[in-house]
Amino acid sequence: QVQLVESGGGLVQAGGSLRLSCAASGRTFSSYAMGWFRQAPGKEREFVAAIAWNGADTFYADSVKGRFTISRDNAKITIYLQMTSLEPEDTAVYYCAVRRTRRGTYYTITDYDYWGQGTQVTVSS
């Protein structure tokens, strides 16, 4: 199995920036994608961004495209989410996830197999 630990969450004012990190450990081989999802109070968990295991392809939700950037450090088996131009609507618990199967999509929650505990991001106006 895979263990995921998120970090970097916190409080930031609107328009500011924040970088989230997700360190993966365990049996990470044969994974096909890593992604970020978020869940705000009273709302469903939603897709934010994903990156292919080889780091060549990235995908973003329309709501964050142009503001957020996902990247990977292959040596450390860590992915990052650089968030800029943050808005109060970005306030949520952000979760890192790993998808094992070749079949599936980057944005479907149930296609992911392992999840971290989440890190809180709060954007004040």
Short mmCIF file of all heavy atoms in Angstrom, two decimals, residues 2 5 8-9 18-19 34 41-42 50 55-56 89 97 99-100 116-117 120:
data_model
loop_
_atom_site.label_atom_id
_atom_site.label_comp_id
_atom_site.label_asym_id
_atom_site.label_seq_id
_atom_site.Cartn_x
_atom_site.Cartn_y
_atom_site.Cartn_z
N VAL A 2 0.20 2.38 -0.16
CA VAL A 2 0.88 3.66 -0.25
C VAL A 2 0.43 4.56 0.89
O VAL A 2 -0.75 4.62 1.22
CB VAL A 2 0.59 4.34 -1.60
CG1 VAL A 2 1.21 5.73 -1.65
CG2 VAL A 2 1.10 3.48 -2.74
N VAL A 5 1.28 11.88 2.93
CA VAL A 5 1.26 12.89 3.98
C VAL A 5 1.29 14.28 3.34
O VAL A 5 2.27 14.62 2.67
CB VAL A 5 2.45 12.74 4.95
CG1 VAL A 5 2.39 13.82 6.01
CG2 VAL A 5 2.43 11.36 5.59
N GLY A 8 1.72 22.00 4.31
CA GLY A 8 1.77 23.31 3.67
C GLY A 8 0.50 24.12 3.77
O GLY A 8 0.47 25.28 3.32
N GLY A 9 -0.55 23.56 4.32
CA GLY A 9 -1.79 24.30 4.47
C GLY A 9 -1.66 25.39 5.51
O GLY A 9 -0.72 25.41 6.31
N LEU A 18 0.20 29.99 -1.85
CA LEU A 18 0.50 28.92 -0.90
C LEU A 18 0.95 27.70 -1.70
O LEU A 18 0.45 27.47 -2.81
CB LEU A 18 -0.74 28.59 -0.07
CG LEU A 18 -0.56 27.96 1.31
CD1 LEU A 18 0.20 28.90 2.23
CD2 LEU A 18 -1.92 27.63 1.90
N ARG A 19 1.87 26.94 -1.14
CA ARG A 19 2.31 25.71 -1.80
C ARG A 19 2.08 24.51 -0.90
O ARG A 19 2.57 24.46 0.23
CB ARG A 19 3.79 25.77 -2.18
CG ARG A 19 4.21 24.59 -3.06
CD ARG A 19 5.67 24.64 -3.48
NE ARG A 19 6.57 24.25 -2.39
CZ ARG A 19 7.83 23.87 -2.57
NH1 ARG A 19 8.34 23.83 -3.81
NH2 ARG A 19 8.58 23.55 -1.53
N MET A 34 -1.10 10.85 -9.59
CA MET A 34 -1.29 11.43 -8.27
C MET A 34 -2.09 12.70 -8.46
O MET A 34 -1.90 13.41 -9.44
CB MET A 34 0.04 11.73 -7.58
CG MET A 34 0.87 10.49 -7.29
SD MET A 34 2.40 10.85 -6.39
CE MET A 34 1.74 11.31 -4.78
N PRO A 41 -16.67 22.78 3.62
CA PRO A 41 -17.79 22.41 4.50
C PRO A 41 -19.12 22.44 3.76
O PRO A 41 -19.44 23.41 3.07
CB PRO A 41 -17.74 23.48 5.59
CG PRO A 41 -16.30 23.90 5.63
CD PRO A 41 -15.86 23.87 4.19
N GLY A 42 -19.88 21.36 3.89
CA GLY A 42 -21.19 21.29 3.27
C GLY A 42 -21.18 21.02 1.78
O GLY A 42 -22.23 21.05 1.14
N ALA A 50 -4.17 16.98 -11.23
CA ALA A 50 -3.54 15.66 -11.23
C ALA A 50 -2.32 15.67 -12.13
O ALA A 50 -2.20 16.50 -13.04
CB ALA A 50 -4.52 14.59 -11.68
N GLY A 55 5.19 12.32 -14.75
CA GLY A 55 5.31 13.77 -14.64
C GLY A 55 5.16 14.54 -15.93
O GLY A 55 5.27 15.77 -15.92
N ALA A 56 4.87 13.85 -17.02
CA ALA A 56 4.81 14.50 -18.32
C ALA A 56 3.48 15.21 -18.58
O ALA A 56 3.45 16.20 -19.32
CB ALA A 56 5.07 13.48 -19.42
N GLU A 89 -13.22 31.23 -2.08
CA GLU A 89 -13.85 30.01 -2.58
C GLU A 89 -12.89 28.83 -2.62
O GLU A 89 -13.33 27.69 -2.77
CB GLU A 89 -14.45 30.25 -3.97
CG GLU A 89 -15.65 31.18 -4.00
CD GLU A 89 -15.28 32.64 -3.79
OE1 GLU A 89 -14.12 33.02 -4.03
OE2 GLU A 89 -16.17 33.42 -3.37
N ALA A 97 -3.98 12.18 -3.38
CA ALA A 97 -4.45 10.82 -3.68
C ALA A 97 -3.60 10.17 -4.77
O ALA A 97 -2.98 10.86 -5.59
CB ALA A 97 -5.92 10.86 -4.10
N ARG A 99 -3.73 7.03 -7.79
CA ARG A 99 -4.50 6.08 -8.57
C ARG A 99 -3.57 5.01 -9.10
O ARG A 99 -2.57 5.31 -9.75
CB ARG A 99 -5.22 6.79 -9.73
CG ARG A 99 -5.95 5.83 -10.67
CD ARG A 99 -6.91 6.56 -11.59
NE ARG A 99 -6.25 7.47 -12.49
CZ ARG A 99 -5.72 7.13 -13.66
NH1 ARG A 99 -5.74 5.86 -14.07
NH2 ARG A 99 -5.15 8.05 -14.42
N ARG A 100 -3.91 3.76 -8.83
CA ARG A 100 -3.10 2.63 -9.25
C ARG A 100 -3.44 2.12 -10.63
O ARG A 100 -2.57 1.81 -11.43
CB ARG A 100 -3.26 1.47 -8.25
CG ARG A 100 -2.55 1.68 -6.93
CD ARG A 100 -1.08 1.42 -7.08
NE ARG A 100 -0.46 1.15 -5.79
CZ ARG A 100 0.82 0.97 -5.61
NH1 ARG A 100 1.65 1.02 -6.65
NH2 ARG A 100 1.30 0.74 -4.40
N GLY A 116 -4.48 10.74 1.53
CA GLY A 116 -3.86 11.30 2.71
C GLY A 116 -4.91 11.80 3.68
O GLY A 116 -6.11 11.70 3.43
N GLN A 117 -4.46 12.36 4.80
CA GLN A 117 -5.38 12.85 5.82
C GLN A 117 -5.91 14.24 5.53
O GLN A 117 -6.90 14.66 6.13
CB GLN A 117 -4.69 12.83 7.19
CG GLN A 117 -4.37 11.43 7.69
CD GLN A 117 -5.60 10.60 7.90
OE1 GLN A 117 -6.58 11.07 8.49
NE2 GLN A 117 -5.58 9.37 7.42
N GLN A 120 -5.63 21.71 5.82
CA GLN A 120 -6.60 22.79 5.74
C GLN A 120 -6.00 24.02 5.08
O GLN A 120 -4.92 24.48 5.45
CB GLN A 120 -7.10 23.16 7.13
CG GLN A 120 -8.05 24.35 7.17
CD GLN A 120 -9.40 24.03 6.58
OE1 GLN A 120 -10.01 23.02 6.93
NE2 GLN A 120 -9.87 24.88 5.66
#
